[in-house]
Amino acid sequence: MNRHQRQNSPAQGASPRRATAPEPAPIIIRVNGRPVPALEGQSVLAALHAAGIRTLRRSDRHGEPRGALCAMGVCFECRVTINGQPGIQACMTEVEDGMDIRTDGY
Amino acid sequence: MDTEPCDVAVCGAGPAGLAAAAVLGRAGLDVRLLDENPLPGGQLLRRSRKPTRGGLDPARRQGLRLAARSKGQNFYGKPLQRVIGIFADGEVLAVDAGHRLVRLRPRAAILATGARERYLPFAGWTLPGVMGAGAAQILVKAHGILPARRLVVAGAGPLLYAAAAETAAARGRVLAVLDQAGWREHWHLALALCRQPTKMLQGAAYLIRLQAAGCRVRCGWRVVRAEGRERAQRVVAVRSAPRGRPSNETMVFSADGLAIGWGLVPNLELAQQAGCRLVHDEHRGGWVVDTDAALQTSRPGIFAAGEVTGIGGGAKALVEGELAAFGVIDYLGSRLGGQVAARRRWLNHRRRRELSLGRALAAVTRVPPEALAGIPDDTVVCRCEDVTMGDIRRAVFSGADSLSALKKTLRLGMGICQGRTCGPVVLDLLALLTRQSPATLPPFGARAPIKPVTLGALAEGRSP
Amino acid sequence: MKRAPATADAVVIGCGVIGASVAFHLALAGLRPVVCERADLAAGSSGACDGLVFLQSKKPGLHLHLALESQRRLEALRAMVPLDYEYLRCGGLVAIGDEAEHEAMRRYVAAQRDSGLDVRLVNGPEARRLEPALSEAVIAAAYSPLDAQINPMRLTLALAAGARQRGARIMPRTAVTGFECQAGAICAVATTRGTIRTRTVVLATGADTPRLAALLGLDPPIRPRRGQLLVTAPQRQILRHCLISARYIAVKYDPALAARSGQSVSMEQTARGNLLLGSTREFAGYDRNTTVDGIQAIAAACTHIVPVLKQVQVIRAFAGLRPWTPDGLPLLGPVPAVPGLVLAAGHEGDGIALSAVTGALIAELIVNGRPRIDLNDFDPMRFSAPASAEAAANGVSP
Ligand SMILES: Cc1cc2nc3c(=O)[nH]c(=O)nc-3n(C[C@H](O)[C@H](O)[C@H](O)COP(=O)(O)OP(=O)(O)OC[C@H]3O[C@@H](n4cnc5c(N)ncnc54)[C@H](O)[C@@H]3O)c2cc1C
Ligand SMILES: Cc1cc2nc3c(=O)[nH]c(=O)nc-3n(C[C@H](O)[C@H](O)[C@H](O)COP(=O)(O)OP(=O)(O)OC[C@H]3O[C@@H](n4cnc5c(N)ncnc54)[C@H](O)[C@@H]3O)c2cc1C
Ligand code: FES
């Protein structure tokens, strides 16, 4: 999954509207044991998305891949395990330096 | 842990909640503004931590001003407080990001929980890479991240254009916007927008940007399939049959992202859980919270504002927030200043105008029966419990004629999202399959906790 | 709106698990009953409860005997209805938390063994070997391999569907609003979809029974006893058995132990993987709301016994109204004052477990005039006769 992250990241901060603000600080999170760069203030979902990670869990009945649908806390499709606590919504949680994220839940 | 008394709990810090809290704060009341997001502003603002000016939309500009101010004021509580229930004794129970309970006992409450997107199921919509148009918008707007390298946007309603245009503005590749509504429905929307020149301008700006970015904009088309292994790789769309004539015109896109949405539905769960009565109004988006003229719900002391009383957009939310705050001040017996009566009249006038916009929105986002009827049997409808369209058809055939009957037979809506995702569309499906009016079919009920909370959080500080 | 039929062999009021079972067994015996349900099937207690077929919690004696018979029937019924109700004989544990409970359970288990139940006491380590998720707070447990669980909602739907297949008519959203009598005997039932002429009416209205009985001038001593319940998101297997705390039995039968503070718990993991965690026992009228206090008490008690639950998410909580009776036993049988009226209600916390046998016995009573098992102990009139004073005194009072 690390393969995608460099290719997909140029859009970070590329929105044309803003220029003056200070850049958010880069931090490192761990996803399934591997380091992934993220920016302070980002949601876990955004950080994973920027790293090219789309599958966040498997459906518990048939094991199908599932990823974020609503990104606003409604659908619960983005559940990941964060620092050992399963079932956390990636879209509603902000990244923290050193955060341990697992996407092998169901 | 004991409950903390306060004057007013405002649930939701979108435009409606912000506007309400500002008025209540000025009236000297002890206000707690609770929102499950890290930043106030709701769906209208959805901004990053970097400052923005808000662009053309006056509602967005006013919202930004309120949000900026709310942070400095002491009534804006800690962020990331998710309200999970309002109980019979008036207690408002919330849980914070650290899985700790927040227990408030306000004298009045305002429900400003906003709206979410409506999704229509189709083959492959569970594939990673298929996301809400709102999700795409949040990724680009709040986080500066492209939703996909090659994005298709499909569904109905103005949000599609916003998501597409914002992605294009961030130099993302948007292959197409496929709008299910035909030109006729758009004509009504355009008429309603005539009275709102800024919105009209915004729409035009979106279209120009999309045109310039080489994006195809097509009306009367709908997505029927997303394909791919492990994630979306292809999107198949067909042209809707004009006036019942079958159509076999199709388009296939090679895309790694598909953003979808069919308008908005209100987040009613908190109101339902609290025992507030709902009414059905198809012009306001179906089931909405029932209120009196002062925006008080059927439960005394609980008021509602914004999208929960009917889909109508940011300006309506701002107006209603203020109106609900006046209602609360009245209810609590506090004194209102001299000019309030005139202000209320003006707000009510604005509210009616915005509601007429909502009506046009409801028309463009209505899902036509043939789109519902055409969902194949093997398509998953309830994503949490993997209930398929075929399961629903069979259950209806063997007698299930209400949402609660479907729930009991199929576990539909019993999963972790509690029917938020599938509920609105299943209601439409059920109405169609059983030939009942949607107004006679009550939506899924809601119970505390309206969103999941760990047992550890609930148990904390309590001896067994 | 569909009209009710003009006549019926029998009218069953209420389509909870008891009404559905009575209708099924009546239809099995060749009658064509009509079931009137005010709301949807399983809208009452039967759709807001656990699914324990827990034998250990039944009073030694006839109560236990009936439960064993009911369990046999629940196993056999699976082949006779068109819907799987997820019956699983998972075995059950009664978790014991302190010496006082241990002592009470010693006596209780001995009495149950005398009544023929396969049950034994195990020490703490052995309890944890059986159920690894149990905490050290559990000092011992009573174990029976016979305890089972079921999906109560599906059981209700399955029995109703089986009844329908055999000629019963099930009418949801049809409320009974009154009765017509001729010379004191029932001759018709008035509903929101028209009047049905019939000579036999079964009141299977759970906690609502006093409200309907009042229309006939009766006041059976059934009262709603609220139970709040938490449901978690589906989990991989956490529990192998269904589980209750010894306090649960205490609250049911032992007023002295019940008076001590603390929440009794019941836990089961459903076929789907959700955990059902219950439950409170409160007299709060017909109020079906949950309370912060109730929810917290259950969470605290359950995480105390099974600590891994702390991480698990609750996705909803609800409350059901158990049909409580003063002596913990249901009211089953005819009411002499109103010929044609049969009561099948008041199962409190055992309605699911006792559903099959209740339906069978009531059907036998209606079809043959007398059931195979003597229903004397369950006589609906037992509280109005002086002989009932002792039984009433044994019960837990509100
Ligand atoms: C995805 C999406 C994108 C949109 N984009 C636009 C747009 O670009 N332009 C536009 O004009 N309109 C847009 N809208 C419409 C938008 O709903 C309104 O413009 C406006 O934001 C409505 O204001 P509100 O205060 O009623 O609700 P919202 O803005 O939705 O605010 C509700 C707030 O309540 C919070 N909340 C909900 N439930 C709870 C709870 N239980 N506990 C704590 N907090 C809770 C939410 O987190 C949210 O912050 C969008 C809507 C959606 C859903
Ligand atoms: C929290 C909780 C946990 C429990 N756990 C267990 C357990 O583990 N095992 C167990 O065996 N039991 C358990 N029980 C008990 C069990 O749920 C009940 O004993 C059983 O459901 C009673 O069934 P019923 O059919 O008599 O009543 P109900 O299911 O309440 O059915 C009565 C029906 O009558 C209908 N009705 C009422 N008035 C009218 C009218 N005027 N016209 C038409 N219809 C009417 C109602 O709508 C309702 O559907 C539990 C109960 C609770 C509350
Ligand atoms: S993506 Fe829907 S809840 Fe996070």
Side-chain angles (χ1 to χ4, degrees):
Chain A
M1 5 189 114
N2 261 346
R3 193 158 43 87
H4 299 283
Q5 98 210 8
R6 250 155 267 114
Q7 303 166 10
N8 215 32
S9 49
Q12 288 196 349
S15 182
R17 257 190 255 121
R18 43 188 102 97
T20 50
E23 284 300 315
I27 54 174
I28 302 286
I29 56 175
R30 298 190 80 80
V31 183
N32 302 325
R34 299 188 197 180
V36 165
L39 296 175
E40 210 161 66
Q42 254 179 351
S43 68
V44 170
L45 171 63
L48 296 179
H49 199 94
I53 299 165
R54 297 288 181 276
T55 299
L56 304 181
R57 45 179 282 275
R58 300 252 149 200
S59 76
D60 52 340
R61 294 206 126 177
H62 303 313
E64 289 168 356
R66 294 285 171 89
L69 177 64
C70 70
M72 49 186 282
V74 172
C75 72
F76 290 84
E77 287 283 35
C78 64
R79 271 131 59 211
V80 294
T81 301
I82 297 183
N83 297 336
Q85 168 68 51
I88 303 287
Q89 288 167 296
C91 68
M92 299 299 282
T93 309
E94 290 197 327
V95 287
E96 281 166 20
D97 201 17
M99 203 175 226
D100 178 51
I101 296 159
R102 304 206 68 89
T103 63
D104 48 7
Y106 63 103
Chain B
M1 197 197 6
D2 288 334
T3 58
E4 199 186 323
C6 64
D7 288 325
V8 192
V10 179
C11 307
L18 284 169
V23 172
L24 295 167
R26 273 202 302 277
L29 294 168
D30 177 12
V31 185
R32 305 302 161 86
L33 187 52
L34 305 159
D35 198 292
E36 59 185 345
N37 273 294
L39 290 173
Q43 306 311 335
L44 181 65
L45 303 187
R46 274 296 178 187
R47 61 224 165 85
S48 68
R49 289 193 181 273
K50 304 178 202 170
T52 50
R53 271 172 283 114
L56 274 174
D57 186 353
R60 184 174 275 161
R61 286 208 303 271
Q62 190 187 341
L64 275 171
R65 273 197 305 277
L66 286 168
R69 233 182 294 150
S70 75
K71 268 185 99 177
Q73 280 169 326
N74 62 1
F75 60 73
Y76 182 65
K78 284 181 246 84
L80 289 167
Q81 294 187 332
R82 173 175 270 179
V83 182
I84 55 175
I86 301 181
F87 291 81
D89 59 3
E91 176 169 344
V92 172
L93 187 65
V95 59
D96 71 15
H99 304 282
R100 276 178 303 271
L101 292 185
V102 177
R103 302 181 62 180
L104 297 176
R105 192 175 296 265
R107 293 158 66 209
I110 296 181
L111 310 177
T113 48
R116 57 177 176 263
E117 285 182 289
R118 189 218 312 247
Y119 305 117
L120 192 64
F122 51 90
W125 77 302
T126 56
L127 280 173
V130 178
M131 70 194 95
Q137 213 184 2
I138 288 165
L139 285 173
V140 276
K141 239 167 64 174
H143 301 289
I145 286 167
L146 291 178
R149 265 174 277 173
R150 297 162 60 84
L151 183 71
V152 172
V153 182
L159 218 72
L160 300 183
Y161 299 89
E166 277 152 12
T167 305
R171 293 184 218 109
R173 183 102 199 267
V174 186
L175 304 180
V177 175
L178 307 171
D179 192 327
Q180 179 178 282
W183 294 110
R184 218 164 54 124
E185 289 87 352
H186 281 106
W187 177 239
H188 288 294
L189 183 63
L191 278 181
L193 282 178
C194 277
R195 296 162 71 190
Q196 309 223 355
T198 50
K199 288 229 168 67
M200 192 77 148
L201 279 175
Q202 195 178 42
Y206 285 158
L207 285 174
I208 291 167
R209 169 156 282 153
L210 289 172
Q211 208 72 46
C215 164
R216 287 200 256 177
V217 177
R218 294 286 179 275
C219 283
W221 283 77
R222 87 187 137 85
V223 58
V224 288
R225 205 158 59 244
E227 298 170 349
R229 283 173 58 87
E230 293 291 307
R231 59 160 80 186
Q233 291 164 323
R234 259 177 322 284
V235 174
V236 183
V238 301
R239 181 155 189 178
S240 300
R243 267 172 256 103
R245 260 182 292 133
S247 146
N248 48 14
E249 251 182 283
T250 58
M251 281 198 270
V252 182
F253 300 91
S254 159
D256 64 332
L258 170 59
I260 54 168
W262 281 260
L264 304 178
V265 287
N267 291 325
L268 299 174
E269 290 71 21
L270 189 57
Q272 287 177 287
Q273 182 274 333
C276 304
R277 191 170 56 230
L278 306 182
V279 285
H280 189 88
D281 183 346
E282 61 168 323
H283 298 311
R284 284 189 278 165
W287 288 102
V288 296
V289 179
D290 193 16
T291 63
D292 63 13
L295 296 181
Q296 184 164 210
T297 68
S298 64
R299 196 171 148 189
I302 298 188
F303 291 69
E307 303 285 46
V308 283
T309 72
I311 302 300
K316 169 181 169 285
L318 287 166
V319 164
E320 288 195 349
E322 210 175 321
L323 277 172
F326 288 138
V328 166
I329 291 169
D330 258 350
Y331 171 82
L332 293 179
S334 301
R335 283 260 291 269
L336 291 167
Q339 290 95 334
V340 164
R343 177 83 184 155
R344 274 178 136 171
R345 265 199 306 283
W346 181 81
L347 288 168
N348 274 313
H349 168 74
R350 280 289 308 275
R351 178 166 182 243
R352 277 192 294 278
R353 194 178 85 183
E354 299 300 332
L355 278 170
S356 72
L357 174 70
R359 182 172 307 208
L361 282 176
V364 273
T365 55
R366 187 164 303 135
V367 179
E370 59 273 17
L372 292 169
I375 300 174
D377 271 355
D378 57 359
T379 302
V380 168
V381 174
C382 167
R383 297 167 68 117
C384 299
E385 295 290 328
D386 279 340
V387 180
T388 66
M389 188 63 216
D391 296 333
I392 295 175
R393 288 203 174 96
R394 278 187 294 276
V396 169
F397 182 73
S398 45
D401 59 354
S402 67
L403 228 48
S404 96
L406 280 180
K407 186 170 171 170
K408 286 185 182 121
T409 9
L410 299 176
R411 304 188 53 84
L412 177 91
M414 277 199 177
I416 192 160
C417 92
Q418 293 287 291
R420 283 176 170 82
T421 312
C422 69
V425 72
V426 172
L427 214 52
D428 288 345
L429 280 170
L430 195 62
L432 185 75
L433 293 174
T434 60
R435 295 200 188 81
Q436 299 180 79
S437 150
T440 62
L441 291 169
F444 282 130
R447 300 168 186 280
I450 61 163
K451 285 195 180 174
V453 52
T454 60
L455 279 156
L458 292 172
E460 200 181 275
R462 180 82 195 212
S463 58
Chain C
M1 195 156 95
K2 281 189 201 129
R3 300 289 298 172
T7 62
D9 293 346
V11 171
V12 179
I13 308 177
C15 197
V17 74
I18 300 297
S21 178
V22 170
F24 174 84
H25 287 94
L26 284 174
L28 194 63
L31 263 57
R32 294 178 152 249
V34 172
V35 185
C36 299
E37 165 55 52
R38 176 178 63 186
D40 270 311
L41 310 195
S45 189
S46 306
C49 60
D50 295 300
L52 304 181
V53 180
F54 219 91
L55 299 166
Q56 295 191 60
S57 65
K58 306 298 172 274
K59 245 185 194 167
L62 184 64
H63 194 204
L64 179 59
H65 177 63
L66 218 58
L68 281 163
E69 171 68 20
S70 198
Q71 182 180 40
R72 271 193 290 281
R73 287 174 177 273
L74 283 171
E75 288 177 1
L77 274 174
R78 282 179 293 182
M80 302 166 75
V81 294
L83 197 67
D84 173 35
Y85 45 80
E86 297 165 6
Y87 177 89
L88 179 70
R89 199 198 274 188
C90 48
L93 286 162
V94 180
I96 296 168
D98 61 30
E99 218 17 79
E101 286 175 5
H102 204 173
E103 189 44 46
M105 284 305 292
R106 269 189 206 107
R107 274 178 277 130
Y108 187 74
V109 166
Q112 280 196 317
R113 291 178 70 96
D114 288 345
S115 277
L117 184 67
D118 178 2
V119 56
R120 64 192 158 96
L121 278 171
V122 298
N123 61 21
E126 199 179 343
R128 273 178 288 283
R129 198 179 49 72
L130 286 163
E131 193 61 71
L134 288 179
S135 75
E136 298 284 334
V138 177
I139 63 162
Y143 169 68
S144 168
L146 292 179
D147 294 325
Q149 65 184 47
I150 222 168
N151 180 332
M153 221 140 62
R154 287 184 77 90
L155 174 63
T156 308
L157 297 179
L159 287 167
R164 198 184 285 126
Q165 279 182 340
R166 289 169 177 79
R169 171 112 183 250
I170 314 275
M171 303 194 61
R173 289 183 289 286
T174 308
V176 169
T177 52
F179 301 91
E180 283 173 31
C181 294
Q182 217 164 31
I186 288 204
C187 67
V189 173
T191 80
T192 47
R193 295 185 199 242
T195 299
I196 311 169
R197 308 206 70 76
T198 183
R199 273 134 104 73
T200 308
V201 171
V202 182
L203 218 49
T205 38
D208 283 312
T209 303
R211 293 171 161 183
L212 276 128
L215 299 172
L216 291 160
L218 303 168
D219 182 21
I222 295 174
R223 297 293 174 262
R225 194 178 199 189
R226 182 168 70 187
Q228 303 185 40
L229 204 63
L230 310 183
V231 185
T232 74
Q235 306 292 316
R236 300 222 165 94
Q237 191 174 47
I238 289 182
L239 294 180
R240 300 175 183 174
H241 305 84
C242 45
L243 208 137
I244 61 178
S245 59
R247 185 157 282 137
Y248 180 100
I249 289 177
V251 173
K252 265 176 110 171
Y253 306 116
D254 190 334
L257 268 185
R260 305 191 315 166
S261 70
Q263 175 64 46
S264 69
V265 299
S266 66
M267 299 185 211
E268 71 181 87
Q269 189 161 13
T270 65
R272 173 71 177 98
N274 308 82
L275 286 122
L276 299 183
L277 310 173
S279 53
T280 59
R281 283 172 187 266
E282 313 153 84
F283 291 99
Y286 284 93
D287 180 358
R288 278 184 67 169
N289 284 310
T290 56
T291 62
V292 178
D293 198 52
I295 291 173
Q296 285 198 295
I298 295 169
C302 290
T303 51
H304 182 64
I305 296 181
V306 180
V308 292
L309 289 177
K310 283 189 187 138
Q311 283 207 331
V312 171
Q313 288 173 321
V314 176
I315 60 173
R316 59 180 174 269
F318 53 76
L321 301 176
R322 298 183 192 86
W324 171 92
T325 64
D327 59 1
L329 299 178
L331 273 53
L332 308 177
V335 180
V338 186
L341 181 69
V342 177
L343 247 55
H347 296 74
E348 201 187 346
D350 302 323
I352 306 304
L354 298 180
S355 59
V357 75
T358 300
L361 293 177
I362 296 291
E364 283 166 18
L365 174 77
I366 290 170
V367 176
N368 308 331
R370 52 172 308 178
R372 237 172 303 171
I373 299 177
D374 179 23
L375 287 179
N376 252 344
D377 283 20
F378 306 108
D379 183 357
M381 306 316 291
R382 65 186 181 275
F383 300 102
S384 32
S388 72
E390 188 201 346
N394 279 338
V396 188
S397 62

